[in-house]
Amino acid sequence: MDLRLQQSTINCYPELVEGQQSTIKITGSKSETNRLLLLQALYPNISLENTSNSDDSEVMLGIIQKSQISNIKSQIFDVHHAGTAMRFLTAFFAAQEGKEVVLNGSSRMKERPIKILVETLKQLGAEITYEENEGFPPIKIQGKKLTKSKVSLPANVSSQYISALLLIAPKIENGLELTLEGEITSIPYIKMTLALLNEIGATTSFNNNTIKVNSKLETRNSQHVTIESDWSSASYWYSIVALSEIGTKITLSSYKQNSLQGDSALVGIYKNFGVETVFNSNNSITIAKVSTYNCLTEHVEVLQPSTFNLNNFPDIAQTIAVTCFGLGIGCNLKGLQTLKIKETDRLEALKTELSKLGANISVTNDSLTIQQSNNLNSNIAIATYQDHRMAMAFAPLALKTSLIIQDAEVVSKSYPTFWDDLKSVGFQVEKQ
């Protein structure tokens, strides 16, 4: 399904009608939900509230439930496009004694490497083989009791490999001592995993490049966890407000000022684009366009080129790149090495699609640069490459020009109600 987004005016000006303000409800963080679903499978005394309604989380939950209710020792599961599910479930099933499973996925999933995680699990005693190509899904896992406890792995490829190991660590006979080699990418996601482990009673430590997780949990009869809403999904609303007129306000629920999610860096980053964030007493946030200048540059009435190192929160890179282009400012985004192995090669995808719109953009293996320009072509069809973030990152440009989003249903991977939410605030969204 393709969608045409006509150039729109957002209906979020509370001063026009006293007391009127747009409020968007975003479900729980996909990152937190997927971690907690796996922990709940290991420790059934955990109950969850405000779970994500994303495709990825539904895939995780469905596979876990099917594996638990079936007496069949050998099962085949399809994770589709869900990279997090592939990585987390690889570790989960490796530690499930007596279970034999095959994890398969989409054609793109078969191109996404998993060798580093598989080899590390083998060091712990896991039995995993490749069904087709060495180093890539599908994989066959023969669940075993993992008895070794000390391993190391490269830390600059994907933090999900690290989190996958940490999540099963309390079930490893002697716990886990994990040494991270090289530059550590996406540290906030690792800290999120450790914080959730602590919340359910695990003892952990993270010193220099070594992480330790004890094998025993503090005994608790029950544990109720309310999941914070997804900051990655909030990023598209930050972009919308940044591209809107001064006075635009949107309220999003439910968010914490002391968030575990690295993408909460949006609060500071979008100050550069004239967007302020207020944390309300009911756990909502109100984001407002308060100026048209760079808040980090005193008394300058034009937006300045922006440089950001996104190594710790690469999932918001697409949103920021499109925001900068839409505002007509240059940007240099660094720390993007993990974007090459996402749902698509996101750096090349951004280069291709922004170029269609008139951007002067260049990319390397770990960076993206857009030159300052006011070029913005109209009625361009944006390819999404089976990548939910491509669709949602480009949608805010409808405030500046008309465009077409191809295969728009891909947003269901993380934010199924995205297009309905856009229409609720005044975006003109039409099926092609």
Side-chain angles (χ1 to χ4, degrees):
M1 176 187 70
D2 296 350
L3 292 181
R4 174 175 288 277
L5 302 184
Q6 300 287 0
Q7 187 167 350
S8 306
T9 301
I10 186 170
N11 299 326
C12 295
Y13 302 98
E15 68 273 19
L16 298 181
V17 179
E18 187 175 357
Q20 178 179 317
Q21 183 169 301
S22 293
T23 300
I24 303 296
K25 179 174 175 56
I26 297 175
T27 62
S29 158
K30 180 166 69 80
S31 299
E32 288 189 34
T33 297
N34 288 348
R35 285 160 172 77
L36 285 163
L37 286 173
L38 191 146
L39 290 173
Q40 185 183 52
L42 295 173
Y43 303 101
N45 63 321
I46 298 172
S47 60
L48 304 177
E49 182 179 338
N50 194 36
T51 54
S52 170
N53 64 349
S54 65
D55 283 354
D56 279 14
S57 295
E58 292 295 325
V59 166
M60 275 278 293
L61 179 60
I63 291 175
I64 288 171
Q65 288 179 336
K66 287 177 184 176
S67 73
Q68 290 177 329
I69 63 175
S70 174
N71 293 321
I72 303 172
K73 288 190 175 182
S74 181
Q75 295 172 286
I76 299 174
F77 297 116
D78 187 350
V79 305
H80 304 289
H81 303 305
T84 307
M86 174 61 75
R87 290 157 178 174
F88 287 4
L89 291 172
T90 295
F92 173 73
F93 285 119
Q96 298 295 299
E97 290 184 71
K99 269 282 188 184
E100 181 183 273
V101 303
V102 172
L103 292 180
N104 206 343
S106 65
S107 57
R108 173 57 181 167
M109 186 61 61
K110 293 181 180 182
E111 297 172 349
R112 298 180 71 177
I114 199 167
K115 186 172 184 177
I116 290 174
L117 176 59
V118 168
E119 294 305 309
T120 307
L121 284 165
K122 285 182 176 180
Q123 290 179 47
L124 292 170
E127 185 178 329
I128 305 173
T129 56
Y130 300 105
E131 293 285 273
E132 293 179 11
N133 295 320
E134 180 80 11
F136 299 89
I139 55 176
K140 179 184 285 186
I141 305 167
Q142 181 66 57
K144 297 177 66 177
K145 183 177 183 179
L146 304 182
T147 56
K148 297 180 182 178
S149 61
K150 292 186 179 182
V151 289
S152 61
L153 84 168
N156 62 347
V157 179
S158 173
S159 66
Q160 289 182 6
Y161 297 156
I162 299 166
S163 288
L165 295 165
L166 297 177
L167 289 167
I168 65 166
K171 287 293 188 180
I172 297 174
E173 188 174 50
N174 298 306
L176 180 67
E177 181 176 321
L178 181 60
T179 301
L180 306 179
E181 300 173 342
E183 182 183 7
I184 305 171
T185 190
S186 302
I187 290 177
Y189 286 101
I190 299 171
K191 291 184 175 179
M192 173 195 290
T193 304
L194 292 173
L196 293 174
L197 283 166
N198 293 338
E199 190 168 349
I200 68 163
T203 302
T204 70
S205 65
F206 188 178
N207 296 313
N208 298 319
N209 65 334
T210 301
I211 303 175
K212 294 181 181 179
V213 181
N214 289 348
S215 60
K216 293 183 179 180
L217 265 63
E218 175 187 330
T219 303
R220 298 178 182 178
N221 292 328
S222 63
Q223 179 76 18
H224 182 78
V225 180
T226 300
I227 299 169
E228 181 187 23
S229 292
D230 191 74
W231 276 99
S232 303
S233 297
S235 73
Y236 314 115
W237 295 100
Y238 273 85
S239 185
I240 286 166
V241 171
L243 295 172
S244 297
E245 300 295 329
I246 291 177
T248 302
K249 291 184 179 182
I250 296 177
T251 295
L252 307 174
S253 62
S254 305
Y255 291 94
K256 304 173 184 176
Q257 197 157 4
N258 58 341
S259 176
L260 298 177
Q261 299 174 54
D263 289 350
S264 62
L266 288 163
V267 174
I269 290 172
Y270 271 78
K271 284 183 180 180
N272 292 276
F273 310 132
V275 179
E276 291 284 357
T277 304
V278 174
F279 286 84
N280 304 313
S281 58
N282 63 351
N283 289 329
S284 67
I285 57 173
T286 298
I287 54 178
K289 183 68 175 286
V290 298
S291 67
T292 57
Y293 60 88
N294 185 327
C295 296
L296 299 184
T297 307
E298 293 184 14
H299 310 303
V300 177
E301 295 302 322
V302 294
L303 285 158
Q304 301 296 312
S306 299
T307 297
F308 300 108
N309 188 331
L310 305 180
N311 183 61
N312 287 333
F313 22 85
D315 278 348
I316 56 177
Q318 290 147 292
T319 311
I320 295 169
V322 173
T323 300
C324 290
F325 173 69
L327 290 170
I329 64 173
C331 68
N332 181 22
L333 308 183
K334 301 178 179 180
L336 307 181
Q337 60 274 8
T338 62
L339 297 193
K340 305 289 288 184
I341 61 168
K342 295 288 187 176
E343 283 80 350
T344 184
D345 181 337
R346 287 178 172 169
L347 290 173
E348 289 298 329
L350 280 169
K351 180 180 179 181
T352 299
E353 302 311 312
L354 284 171
S355 295
K356 290 181 187 176
L357 288 160
N360 184 352
I361 177 174
S362 59
V363 300
T364 69
N365 283 331
D366 63 356
S367 69
L368 173 153
T369 301
I370 299 175
Q371 302 300 322
Q372 185 169 350
S373 170
N374 290 317
N375 291 337
L376 185 54
N377 298 328
S378 294
N379 296 313
I380 300 298
I382 302 299
T384 53
Y385 306 86
Q386 297 184 325
D387 185 349
H388 54 132
R389 301 206 189 283
M390 286 295 291
M392 293 183 284
F394 277 84
L397 286 180
L399 295 170
K400 301 291 185 179
T401 189
S402 296
L403 67 159
I404 297 166
I405 304 294
Q406 296 179 330
D407 300 321
E409 67 275 8
V410 73
V411 302
S412 65
K413 179 176 171 65
S414 63
Y415 191 167
T417 61
F418 180 70
W419 302 117
D420 289 334
D421 287 347
L422 283 194
K423 288 190 283 188
S424 75
V425 300
F427 276 73
Q428 299 176 54
V429 182
E430 303 171 359
K431 289 184 180 180
Q432 286 289 98

